[in-house]
Amino acid sequence: MSVQIRPFDAETASEREFSEYHLARVASLLLESPEDPPVTYEATVGRLRTPWPSDGECRYWAGYVDGTLVGLGRLALPDGENSGIAQIDVMVHPGFRRRGVGTELLRAVMPAVRDSGRPTVNSDAMKAGSPGAAWAGGLGFREVNRSVVMRLVIDETKPELWDVPVPEGYRLARWAGSTPEKLIESYAAARQAVQDAPLGESSIRLPTWDPARIRREERQLAEQGAEERVVVAIHQATGEIVGVTGILTYAYRPENSYQNDTSVVNAHRGNGLGRVMKAAMMRWLVVERPQVRRIMTGTNADNVHMIAVNDAIGYQIIRRVIWVETTAASLAEALS
C-alpha cells in the first residue's frame, strides 16, 4: 500500500476531498465516540475552516491511499501564554489504521514543528485506553491531565432544573456579541478568576484576560460566524462583575452549543453563582435559539465543584478523556 502525504488547504480543497475526509471522520468518531450523534458534512468543513481562536495558526496535511483521502494531520500554533506549545492531532480512517498512515502524517508535520521552535508537543483529548492513546504512548507521549466531557440534551432535561433564584446581594446581566464598554473592565477581571482551575501537569496555560484581549476574541468569533452569549453576576453593593459564564454557537453546527469559561471571583464563591448563571443561560438559550439541541462542555476531572454544578442543571458525563504531551526533540527521535 502506497501512502502519499500532501499539504491540505481547507479554503481550496475540492468537494471530493472534503467528502472523503468527512467519511473518514464519521467512521473514526463512530468507533471512538459512539455516544455522540454523527457529525454532519457542514460541521466537518466548518470545523476545519474555523478553528477555535485559542488554537492560533492551523496547518493541515492529508494522507492519501490510491488517491483517496484517508487521514488528516493538524498542527495548531497557539500564541500568547502557550507560544511554546505545538499541538498535533492525527486522524485516520479506521479501515486504514495500523498501516503507517498516521506515522507518515506525523512525520510530515514535524518539519513545521521544528521550524516553529516550540519545545513542547501536545495532542487533543483522547479516551484513556483507546487505540489513539496507545499509539501516542508508543511514541513517548505521557498523560498530563484528565478531563470529563459532559453533555446537556435539552429535550431530555427538566426545565425546572433551571429555575434557580439569584442570591440576595447580586443581580444578573447578559449580552450577545460585544461586551458593553461600561462593563468590560470588571468583566475582564472576573474572567481572570478561572486562572486557578486545575490543569494537572499540562504545560497549557490559561489566557490572561484584559479588555484588549476580550475585544480581540470577540472580533475573531464574529469573523468565524460564531455567536457568543454571556451571562454575568453583578455584586450590587459595588456594581462589579464577580461571575461569568459563556456559550458559543457556530453557524456550521446550529444544533450544538459549546460552553465557554465559567468563573467566579474568589471572594464571592460559595454563593451558588455558577449554577445561577448557567441556569439563566439555559432559560435564555432555549427561547432565542430553539434549534440548539445539545450543550457540550469539558471540565477537569479534579474540578469536582464545577462537575457538580453542571450535573445540577442537567449535564451528564458522556466520556472521560486524557491529555498527552511530549517534547519536540523526543518525538523527532521516536520518529527517526
Side-chain angles (χ1 to χ4, degrees), residues 33 131 161 194 212:
S33 304
L161 293 178
V194 79

Side-chain angles (χ1 to χ4, degrees), residues 238-259:
T238 62
E240 297 293 311
I241 293 175
V242 297
V244 173
T245 194
I247 286 282
L248 295 174
T249 307
Y250 281 81
Y252 62 75
R253 200 170 189 184
E255 75 281 5
N256 272 24
S257 286
Y258 302 89
Q259 177 70 54

